[in-house]
Amino acid sequence: GMVTVTVNAKDSMNTVVYSGAGSAEIRTSDPARPEIAMKVSEPSRPYLCKPEQINANAVRVEWVVWENNITSSSICEFTLERNRTEDNWGSKIDISTQNKNQREIIDQNNINASSYETDYYYRLRISDNNANVYHSNIQFIAATKEGFHSGSEIPEIYEYEVKSPDCIRIHWNYSSGTANTGFEIQFSEDGRWNWIDGGTYPSGTHSQEFCGLSGDRAYWFRVRAKDISDTWVSDFSNEYYVFLSSTSSSSMLAPSLVQPVKEAGGVRIDWTFPASDEPQIYGFDVERSLDAGASWTLVYSANTDERSYIDIDYIPNARNDYRVCALEGTSRHCSSIEGLYTD
């Protein structure tokens, strides 16, 4: 007679990752060998991979997006959540948020801070363009100090800006500024198989521009820190994905910023942007700098139809510089910088 065979490929959390079924006719003289085509069990949901411990204080968590089943345009961002139990996520903490093109986050949030070995459960929170929120599968790791060195802080790349068709700027976070004398940046053009030296940069640097790149191709970037003895002390950061289009330009979709003015209650920031280009973006970021553009603070996130904002939290008796960036996918198209001295 006929028999149907079902095969499930499960991970260590007993989550079915792939499944398939096949039918065959059973005969006493001929073994049944059904052909079973395996498919992704939940193609509409990203899959969180098993976490990997990097050092005594850091865990790397990666995920897979089934590209043929999830349109990248439907996802806004990923947030990695961590919990101490598999259930009851009401006490969970958010580790980090990355844009829709990224596939990993390094957790350095008090790993093994109070014990020699600690159980952690992870899941992804996914936000889409329709303000829907859903979660990935859950993964587990027993993080331990045994066999791992106590690692220094690992930088985190969190953003990039398109400056021109062959030029981008990478931004990273690193708080241990006094413990290092510089950073090394590497980039890959072949899917992270081979890494190219992108140069070393002094302590206090938190962004760097790379020009002379080829358009219509993907790049991956990573960064690590070194100490006062010129020894590399941190592991490499998250491997950050960038796709540079040959038509990318900071000026193509950049808003035009009007000179900010001080008025009752705050600093007024106005900008112009063609209504015909609004379908290409999903909003604007209004940012302020107090160090001539070396670093920026987000002060307001505007909708696509907004063209002004009053900054009531400006810094008095100082120069406040402003810029407005149009948001297109993972690209940011920023205006020129305009500022004023406040009293």
Side-chain angles (χ1 to χ4, degrees):
M2 296 296 295
V3 63
T4 298
V5 178
T6 300
V7 177
N8 293 321
K10 299 182 178 181
D11 63 13
S12 59
M13 296 293 292
N14 208 34
T15 300
V16 177
V17 185
Y18 294 92
S19 63
S23 299
E25 184 176 359
I26 297 179
R27 301 174 183 174
T28 56
S29 60
D30 186 14
R33 296 185 176 88
E35 294 185 1
I36 300 177
M38 301 294 286
K39 297 182 179 180
V40 176
S41 178
E42 293 187 84
S44 62
R45 187 170 69 156
Y47 175 75
L48 192 66
C49 305
K50 185 173 179 58
E52 172 196 6
Q53 189 168 351
I54 303 173
N55 59 47
N57 315 111
V59 173
R60 185 187 303 272
V61 185
E62 300 181 80
W63 59 91
V64 176
V65 174
W66 311 112
E67 303 290 355
N68 293 333
N69 300 284
I70 305 174
T71 59
S72 60
S73 61
S74 67
I75 296 176
C76 285
E77 61 185 19
F78 300 100
T79 299
L80 183 65
E81 300 177 348
R82 191 183 78 197
N83 205 32
R84 294 299 304 277
T85 63
E86 186 174 359
D87 303 314
N88 188 21
W89 284 76
S91 58
K92 57 85 178 173
I93 61 173
D94 290 350
I95 301 302
S96 182
T97 297
Q98 288 283 4
N99 68 50
K100 64 183 181 181
N101 289 325
Q102 306 314 313
R103 297 293 181 267
E104 69 176 37
I105 288 173
I106 296 177
D107 178 12
Q108 302 177 82
N109 192 328
N110 294 319
I111 295 293
N112 290 327
S114 59
S115 63
Y116 194 79
E117 181 173 305
T118 314
D119 292 348
Y120 296 113
Y121 292 85
Y122 292 95
R123 70 181 183 183
L124 277 179
R125 184 173 74 245
I126 302 101
S127 304
D128 66 19
N129 291 328
N130 296 317
N132 297 315
V133 175
Y134 58 102
H135 291 91
S136 72
N137 57 302
I138 296 172
Q139 288 287 8
F140 165 80
I141 187 171
T144 178
K145 294 181 180 180
E146 183 177 0
F148 290 96
H149 66 280
S150 295
S152 299
E153 179 189 0
I154 301 172
E156 180 191 39
I157 303 177
Y158 66 93
E159 181 183 71
Y160 81 98
E161 296 176 77
V162 177
K163 310 299 290 186
S164 70
D166 68 343
C167 199
I168 60 174
R169 177 172 287 273
I170 301 296
H171 297 263
W172 64 90
N173 287 320
Y174 190 78
S175 61
S176 303
T178 58
N180 81 304
T181 58
F183 299 94
E184 176 192 21
I185 299 179
Q186 296 182 350
F187 66 95
S188 174
E189 302 174 327
D190 60 2
R192 301 182 290 179
W193 289 104
N194 297 289
W195 291 93
I196 302 169
D197 181 18
T200 57
Y201 305 92
S203 175
T205 305
H206 288 90
S207 70
Q208 183 59 42
E209 202 163 288
F210 291 87
C211 297
L213 303 175
S214 299
D216 293 325
R217 71 180 305 169
Y219 293 90
W220 286 261
F221 289 83
R222 65 183 186 182
V223 58
R224 61 178 176 175
K226 63 178 181 179
D227 65 10
I228 57 176
S229 64
D230 212 32
T231 300
W232 299 111
V233 295
S234 84
D235 291 277
F236 275 108
S237 70
N238 54 317
E239 296 172 354
Y240 194 87
Y241 172 91
V242 172
F243 184 84
L244 186 62
S245 170
S246 60
T247 60
S248 295
S249 171
S250 60
S251 61
M252 291 174 61
L253 287 175
S256 295
L257 182 61
V258 179
Q259 173 65 42
V261 295
K262 178 71 167 57
E263 61 179 38
V267 174
R268 182 181 181 89
I269 301 104
D270 294 285
W271 64 94
T272 61
F273 189 82
S276 59
D277 288 338
E278 287 181 7
Q280 300 184 56
I281 66 171
Y282 62 89
F284 301 98
D285 279 349
V286 180
E287 299 176 335
R288 182 200 319 117
S289 175
L290 301 176
D291 52 14
S295 61
W296 292 91
T297 299
L298 176 66
V299 297
Y300 183 63
S301 293
N303 295 324
T304 56
D305 59 349
E306 293 184 77
R307 297 293 186 271
S308 67
Y309 173 69
I310 297 179
D311 181 14
I312 62 173
D313 296 318
Y314 70 93
I315 308 303
N317 303 313
R319 180 176 176 84
N320 290 242
D321 286 313
Y322 293 91
R323 69 179 181 184
V324 178
C325 300
L327 309 177
E328 178 201 22
T330 58
S331 299
R332 290 159 44 86
H333 305 275
C334 297
S335 68
S336 60
I337 300 171
E338 302 290 346
L340 76 166
Y341 287 94
T342 59
D343 51 22

